Structure formats: structure tokens, C-alpha cells
Amino acid sequence: MGMAAQEAIRQLQSLMEEVDEPLRRTYENIHQGYPNETLVRFLKARDWNVPKTYEMLVDCLKWRIENEIDNILANPITPIESYRAVRDSQLLGLSGYSKEGLPVIAIGVGLSTYDKASVNKYVQSHIQMNEYRDRVVLPQATKKHGRYIGTCIKVLDMTGLRLSAMNQIKLLSNISSVDDLNYPEKTETYYIVNPPRIFSACWKVVKPLLQERTKRKIQVLHGSPRDELLKIMDYSSLPHFCRKEGSGSSRHSENGVVNNCFSLDHPFHQQLYNFMKEQALLMESVAPIRQGSFQVAIPAQDSEDLKIARTIESTFHMFGNQNGIVRSLSGLKVSGN
């Protein structure tokens, strides 16, 4: 790390020492004992501009306090049937770890329908996954390997991606804003697998809009992704849709163990949900907490993210028109909220 970067970290450290106690407490939940590494993440997100990074970090801390994010892992989605509905329609999970110890997060982009629960529950569940990753999964990986591990690998399955996905652009844009502004630089590499033609059309127009830092993280794997992914992870950590049994979100098990990491019955989701129930009991023994779906305020999108979202929308329109899609999409708009 160069002298300029070290000086930026030092300046940001000095500014953070001046924040008030509530902000400092929630900041400790973010950095988990690694404040310098956390400052570097936020600095990267703002191209090492210290004033802009400080503003971003303070806004993040205020967002956490205003939305009670520190307590979100003590607020499981109940009843269990409601949480199962979320898991069945918001497809993501932890499939394993890379050879370097990074968590492998699998996401079923194409087959996620987001139609079995409220928007608030999907956002709540997404943030709970982020918080569990940052407060439990990554610290455990750090302890196991004896070195700091603060990022993950994401494998995005595009199987089943259709024009109807445009119905979810607003929700996905909101989730993206939450991640970009409050959980920056948490992904080491994105692997795009099973991309259909419609993805390729979008990718051609979106890629030039991305920052170079982001483009370097994205790898689009055409054909069978298994051999390429096996270079960085063992077979046992491959997402189920990258194994020889087939692709998509079909459920299967070996020796009684569910391998579909999207399923609520998968060990990861069982551990996560049990952890949240335990945290809820602990919190209730100290003080009552607000139960039910969190009403999380969505941060305003960056202008760059908004431009990308609108580009995707217009590309979907163009693709639909070129292929003679009859159903009107004119009522679907992407908001900047």
C-alpha cells in the first residue's frame, strides 16, 4: 500500500475518532475488530477521496441507527412458513468456501420471482444475510485461516432469465443501493454462469458504464462453468446449479443432505435461522425489540447506478420489441428513490 493510501487511511481514522458514541457503537458492528480494513473498503468505493468517504461512512452509520440494523439479526421473519416463502422466491445461499477460504455465495438471479412475500420482507432478508455474513461467516473464516478474510465470491446463475424480470428492477435496484452504500467492496469476484441471450444483450450495453474496478471483478462463464470454478473451489463447494447433475434451482440431496443452498432446509439457512431465533431470545431477556418486518429506508441511488438501471430497462424494452413481445411493458418505470 502506497504512501498516499496510508495517508488517506490516517486522515479518515482521525475523522472517525471524532464521531459521537452511537455512531461509534454501530461502527464497531461493521468493522468487527478490523477498522483499517473497513476504512479501506469505503475509501475504494469513493476512489480514495477522504471527504467523500467520510460522508459515505457517516451516512451509513446513521442509516444503521435509524433502521435498527444492529438488531436485525434478532428479528427473524416469522412464522417459519413466511420465511420459507421468502427462501423459495429469493434464491441465494452459502454453498461453501473457496480454496483461499472466501465464502461462496450462490444467487439464482434468473429463477428468483420475488412474488411470495412483501418487498419489506425481501429487503429485510437480504440485509440479514449481509449482516450474518459480516458478523458470523467472515469472522469465522478469518479465525479458521489465521488471516483477515473480509470478502466473498458470488456465483450468479442466469438460468431462466426472462423479460418478465423487468418487473423486479425497482426492487433489485433498491437492494443494490443498500449494498453499494452500506456494504461496499464485499465481493472479490462475480461469476456469471448460464447466461441466456437476453443477458448477453444487456451486458453489451451495461459493461461500458461500469467503473474499471467493477468490470475487473466480473467474469462471464459461457458453457459449463464447473471446470473453471473448480480452479478456485472444491467440488463440495460448487453451487448445485454448477454440478454435473444439472442446472437451475432443482432440489436434490446426497446421503440425506440437501445440496440446494437456496433451500431453507440447507444447513446454512438452518444455521442462520436458528441463530436469529437465539438472538431474539437473548434480546427479549434484556429488553423488548420491535418484531415483524423491518421498514427499512432505502438510500437514494448514486447517479451512476440509476443510469445503469435505466439502461437495463431500455435494453429490455428494445429486446422485447425486436422479438415481437406483445405484452406491454410501458407502465414499468425505474424510480430514483
Side-chain angles (χ1 to χ4, degrees), residues 83-84 86-97 103-109 112 125 129 153-157 233 235-243 248-253 257-272:
Y83 190 61
R84 185 176 293 278
V86 171
R87 291 278 57 83
D88 286 344
S89 53
Q90 184 183 37
L91 305 180
L92 71 161
L94 177 71
S95 67
Y97 294 83
V104 178
I105 307 295
I107 305 174
V109 177
S112 291
S125 174
M129 289 278 288
I153 290 169
K154 291 184 178 178
V155 184
L156 283 65
D157 181 22
M233 68 185 75
Y235 181 85
S236 61
S237 291
L238 282 176
H240 60 282
F241 49 79
C242 294
R243 300 185 181 190
S249 63
S250 59
R251 288 174 171 80
H252 58 275
S253 62
V257 178
V258 176
N259 285 326
N260 180 359
C261 64
F262 300 154
S263 171
L264 178 56
D265 299 319
H266 187 271
F268 168 72
H269 282 298
Q270 288 293 302
Q271 292 164 9
L272 167 58

Side-chain angles (χ1 to χ4, degrees), residues 77-79 81-90 113-125 168 171 293:
I77 294 173
T78 56
E81 290 77 13
S82 295
Y83 190 61
R84 185 176 293 278
V86 171
R87 291 278 57 83
D88 286 344
S89 53
Q90 184 183 37
T113 57
Y114 298 98
D115 60 353
K116 297 183 184 301
S118 67
V119 169
N120 288 326
K121 280 190 170 63
Y122 287 121
V123 173
Q124 176 184 351
S125 174
Q168 309 303 335
L171 170 60
S293 179

Side-chain angles (χ1 to χ4, degrees), residues 13 60 75 84 102 126 173 180 250 263 267:
Q13 283 175 333
C60 168
N75 195 337
R84 185 176 293 278
L102 277 64
H126 181 83
S173 296
D180 291 345
S250 59
S263 171

Side-chain angles (χ1 to χ4, degrees), residues 71-261:
N71 294 331
I72 199 168
L73 287 177
N75 195 337
I77 294 173
T78 56
I80 186 66
E81 290 77 13
S82 295
Y83 190 61
R84 185 176 293 278
V86 171
R87 291 278 57 83
D88 286 344
S89 53
Q90 184 183 37
L91 305 180
L92 71 161
L94 177 71
S95 67
Y97 294 83
S98 73
K99 294 176 181 178
E100 295 185 349
L102 277 64
V104 178
I105 307 295
I107 305 174
V109 177
L111 294 176
S112 291
T113 57
Y114 298 98
D115 60 353
K116 297 183 184 301
S118 67
V119 169
N120 288 326
K121 280 190 170 63
Y122 287 121
V123 173
Q124 176 184 351
S125 174
H126 181 83
I127 295 173
Q128 287 172 331
M129 289 278 288
N130 283 351
E131 291 292 311
Y132 188 73
R133 175 198 63 198
D134 294 349
R135 293 196 233 171
V136 178
V137 175
L138 290 172
Q140 286 178 349
T142 295
K143 182 178 180 179
K144 177 180 179 180
H145 292 274
R147 59 180 175 80
Y148 176 69
I149 295 178
T151 57
C152 64
I153 290 169
K154 291 184 178 178
V155 184
L156 283 65
D157 181 22
M158 296 294 168
T159 298
L161 186 66
R162 295 180 174 87
L163 286 171
S164 56
M166 199 172 140
N167 291 313
Q168 309 303 335
I169 284 182
K170 175 66 183 298
L171 170 60
L172 297 177
S173 296
N174 287 344
I175 288 176
S176 177
S177 293
V178 168
D179 284 354
D180 291 345
L181 297 176
N182 300 288
Y183 304 93
E185 299 295 320
K186 296 299 294 186
T187 303
E188 191 76 16
T189 308
Y190 297 88
Y191 290 96
I192 310 294
V193 304
N194 303 318
R197 184 183 172 197
I198 190 172
F199 170 81
S200 299
C202 285
W203 181 238
K204 286 180 181 178
V205 295
V206 169
K207 185 177 180 181
L209 303 177
L210 300 176
Q211 295 181 354
E212 285 301 319
R213 182 181 72 252
T214 302
K215 281 191 277 191
R216 286 194 296 268
K217 292 182 178 183
I218 300 173
Q219 295 192 34
V220 181
L221 305 182
H222 295 279
S224 175
R226 188 181 66 164
D227 291 343
E228 191 66 28
L229 292 176
L230 284 175
K231 295 177 182 178
I232 62 166
M233 68 185 75
D234 294 331
Y235 181 85
S236 61
S237 291
L238 282 176
H240 60 282
F241 49 79
C242 294
R243 300 185 181 190
K244 63 182 179 181
E245 289 87 347
S247 63
S249 63
S250 59
R251 288 174 171 80
H252 58 275
S253 62
E254 295 175 3
N255 300 323
V257 178
V258 176
N259 285 326
N260 180 359
C261 64

